[in-house]
Amino acid sequence: MKALRHRNIVNLYEVLMSSKHIYMVMDLVEGGELYDELTRRGPFSEKEARDYYRQLTEGMIYCHTRRVYHRDLKFDNLLLDKNGVIKIGDFGLVSIKGAESSSDLLHTQVGTPHYTAPEIIARASTGYDGVKVDVWSSGIFLYGLVAGSLPFMDEDFELLYINIVNR
């Protein structure tokens, strides 16, 4: 992750370790989560949503061209700097596909339920494309920006997944 440098990513500069702790030196992102802004003010205008979506897309394309797939894009992982610029954070579920890989397909069932792509739910065992999964999540994000809520909402994850796969 230290090799990634982009204006729409929370950049990692250094990892330091002691006998008891790991320290990560990262960008300071003072604006908080975009979700908090959505909750505070409600849906964004189409112009604002388009600008935020463009920023997210630029960060995703940068990662994808380096074979890095986030797989957990959601409002909680999209931060705003003090100038209102989106910073993609929390690369904890990221997958990095090396050149030596015989397949570009991913197989781990990961992500946040309300943003989960149908192929992760239905085909994780046979594999899914990391780019398509991130694009799906970005669509959920765009819907949320304009509508003020997520398109798939159910507290019962089984019903939630059925709705995602079948709609």
Side-chain angles (χ1 to χ4, degrees), residues 20-162:
K20 295 182 181 179
H21 301 285
I22 297 176
Y23 302 93
M24 297 188 307
V25 180
M26 305 169 77
D27 287 334
L28 174 62
V29 185
E30 301 177 71
E33 294 176 2
L34 186 55
Y35 179 76
D36 294 337
E37 186 69 10
L38 178 68
T39 302
R40 184 181 66 75
R41 58 175 282 200
F44 290 87
S45 71
E46 287 183 28
K47 181 184 181 310
E48 292 168 313
R50 185 174 52 247
D51 186 51
Y52 282 133
Y53 190 72
R54 178 191 50 76
Q55 292 177 54
L56 171 62
T57 303
E58 288 174 2
M60 276 189 340
I61 290 169
Y62 175 83
C63 289
H64 292 166
T65 59
R66 285 148 184 82
R67 299 175 56 91
V68 173
Y69 311 105
H70 194 284
R71 302 188 304 167
D72 197 25
L73 292 171
K74 59 183 178 179
F75 276 99
D76 299 9
N77 291 339
L78 300 173
L79 308 173
L80 294 173
D81 73 6
K82 64 183 178 183
N83 298 315
V85 173
I86 281 187
K87 301 283 187 176
I88 302 170
D90 192 355
F91 283 77
L93 296 178
V94 74
S95 176
I96 303 170
K97 299 299 278 186
E100 72 284 349
S101 175
S102 61
S103 170
D104 285 338
L105 296 180
L106 304 171
H107 296 87
T108 310
Q109 193 165 9
V110 297
T112 301
H114 296 87
Y115 297 81
T116 302
E119 45 274 63
I120 290 180
I121 298 165
R123 297 191 307 268
S125 61
T126 58
Y128 58 88
D129 183 332
V131 171
K132 290 180 181 178
V133 166
D134 283 351
V135 169
W136 171 274
S137 297
S138 75
I140 300 292
F141 165 75
L142 180 59
Y143 181 97
L145 284 174
V146 176
S149 64
L150 300 179
F152 302 102
M153 297 295 296
D154 202 307
E155 295 303 315
D156 180 333
F157 289 157
E158 186 174 336
L159 290 175
L160 176 70
Y161 289 153
I162 288 170

